[in-house]
Amino acid sequence: MKVVVIGSGSWGTGLAQVLCDNQVDVTIYGNCAEEIRDINENHRNSKYFEDVEIHSGLRATMDIEVVRGADIVLLSVPTIAIESVCKQIDPLLNKKTIVVNASKGFHPETFERMSCVIRKNISEEHLSSVVSLIGPSHAEEVVIRMLTTICAVSLNEEDAKIVQETFSNEYLRVYTGNDEIGSEVGVAIKNAIAVASGVLSGLGYGDNTRAALITRGLMEMTRYGMAMGGRKETFMGLTGIGDLIVTCTSKHSRNFQAGYEIGKHNSAKYFWDNNTKTVEGVRTAKAVHETAEKMGIDMPIVSEIYRVLFEGAEPSESAKRLMLRDLKTEIDL
């Protein structure tokens, strides 16, 4: 089994180390010389994990030709880069390959799910199937081998099981699933809800508020996912409520951190002026809001985050608007 991980960031490094621990032949491809050198020479990826020594057998390269002959190619890059990366590696693949998606979000222009983007840009003769390896996980914890559970979701049950067996070990448990729509929608929308969670924390709200946000956010996620064709029960699992909880409550979440800064300044201006990181929840909020508007799906939390990010609304006023909406029954899918 030969696996190539595209992306030398935190999650790519964490998952590649899992494979090293499992004695799988794995190489990371990245385009940052400093990160590649750090992995190969120092057995670290200091940009993301300041004090963590990674597996001494982990190799990294800047030569994209490494994907030739791979049985599995794992894409661990921002959603905005998935299309271009697929176009880059497609001519280099020389057999049916399982392409594993580890990104959570939508195409920035077409708003398509990642599996759809991959299938459009990897030719049929090179693609065995797409498997999304997603769920409640932070690279900062996986890289130090903390107990974690995620899902290998695919329309191809056999390939999902291959990915499950390849990545599972004593600290990473992988379940399989086949609700590609529901799972990919769930892990994407939770990013936007996590921005909202950070905003509320930055405004000074506490645990009661966060519990309300997560619960109502789950309702929005489920409503939207079912409208797209996902199954209701999926949102009660790891790629639904599981990922929503971890991203809305963790200091490791970029989406939460971004929202916190917005709430602390009661404005998105500071975020837009100073942010240099990939915050998937920002693009997700735009994609989901615009799609929901067209389809008539009620998404009040996402809509308020959209207004804060793109229309200059004050977060404190958005919080008030959510509380003063028309009173209704709780379960309203």
Side-chain angles (χ1 to χ4, degrees):
M1 178 71 69
K2 175 184 176 181
V3 181
V4 176
V5 174
I6 306 291
S8 57
S10 58
W11 194 219
T13 302
L15 288 172
Q17 178 172 259
V18 169
L19 296 175
C20 272
D21 287 345
N22 293 357
Q23 299 182 323
V24 174
D25 176 10
V26 57
T27 305
I28 295 176
Y29 165 79
N31 57 13
C32 175
E34 183 180 348
E35 291 169 19
I36 300 305
R37 184 168 55 251
D38 200 18
I39 293 168
N40 287 331
E41 297 178 8
N42 304 319
H43 310 306
R44 293 180 179 272
N45 195 338
S46 305
K47 180 177 178 181
Y48 302 98
F49 311 116
E50 189 175 352
D51 299 315
V52 177
E53 185 171 334
I54 58 180
H55 197 294
S56 60
L58 186 54
R59 305 185 308 274
T61 182
M62 294 184 69
D63 183 3
I64 192 63
E65 296 278 337
V66 72
V67 301
R68 290 189 187 276
D71 300 290
I72 295 175
V73 173
L74 185 146
L75 306 179
S76 183
V77 297
T79 53
I80 198 169
I82 290 288
E83 181 177 15
S84 61
V85 167
C86 286
K87 288 178 177 178
Q88 185 180 11
I89 67 173
D90 184 41
L92 303 176
L93 300 175
N94 51 13
K95 63 178 181 178
K96 290 271 190 181
T97 304
I98 300 172
V99 177
V100 176
N101 160 54
S103 299
K104 302 173 179 180
F106 302 106
H107 188 284
E109 295 172 0
T110 66
F111 303 159
E112 291 171 295
R113 292 179 292 105
M114 289 298 98
S115 289
C116 299
V117 175
I118 293 168
R119 280 191 286 266
K120 267 190 175 181
N121 293 284
I122 300 288
S123 52
E124 230 178 281
E125 62 267 27
H126 297 155
L127 183 64
S128 177
S129 72
V130 181
V131 179
S132 284
L133 193 60
I134 48 181
S137 50
H138 287 303
E140 294 84 354
E141 296 186 2
V142 171
V143 80
I144 58 173
R145 301 175 176 87
M146 282 192 175
L147 304 182
T148 303
T149 58
I150 56 177
C151 287
V153 182
S154 180
L155 303 179
N156 184 315
E157 184 178 358
E158 184 179 338
D159 283 355
K161 287 181 178 177
I162 290 171
V163 171
Q164 177 186 45
E165 292 167 2
T166 303
F167 283 85
S168 291
N169 59 26
E170 63 184 8
Y171 63 89
L172 183 69
R173 181 176 176 82
V174 182
Y175 290 86
T176 60
N178 58 18
D179 183 8
E180 183 183 274
I181 295 174
S183 293
E184 292 187 4
V185 166
V187 298
I189 290 183
K190 59 88 187 178
N191 287 328
I193 304 297
V195 174
S197 180
V199 168
L200 291 174
S201 291
L203 287 170
Y205 292 103
D207 293 342
N208 292 357
T209 314
R210 183 178 294 128
L213 177 83
I214 291 172
T215 307
R216 298 310 300 172
L218 176 62
M219 194 67 67
E220 289 192 24
M221 176 193 293
T222 306
R223 186 185 302 128
Y224 186 94
M226 289 175 65
M228 295 297 132
R231 298 197 299 267
K232 183 178 180 180
E233 61 268 24
T234 298
F235 301 96
M236 298 300 111
L238 291 168
T239 57
I241 185 65
D243 213 352
L244 182 63
I245 290 171
V246 76
T247 315
C248 284
T249 61
S250 176
K251 63 183 180 181
H252 297 310
S253 168
R254 289 183 183 180
N255 297 287
F256 180 90
Q257 292 170 356
Y260 186 85
E261 289 298 322
I262 292 169
K264 190 170 71 172
H265 293 88
N266 200 28
S267 169
K269 186 178 186 306
Y270 180 87
F271 167 78
W272 288 119
D273 289 346
N274 295 278
N275 181 64
T276 58
K277 298 178 180 179
T278 299
V279 181
E280 293 287 1
V282 172
R283 287 195 287 266
T284 298
K286 184 175 188 295
V288 172
H289 171 76
E290 292 183 6
T291 303
E293 288 271 286
K294 289 177 184 175
M295 296 183 65
I297 307 169
D298 187 29
M299 303 287 287
I301 296 171
V302 172
S303 294
E304 287 298 341
I305 283 299
Y306 175 86
R307 292 186 185 103
V308 168
L309 288 167
F310 298 103
E311 295 180 352
E314 284 191 356
S316 56
E317 291 302 312
S318 285
K320 288 179 185 176
R321 274 194 294 273
L322 286 171
M323 292 301 291
L324 294 174
R325 296 176 71 236
D326 291 343
L327 300 177
K328 60 200 300 185
T329 57
E330 181 190 7
I331 308 300
D332 57 352
L333 287 177

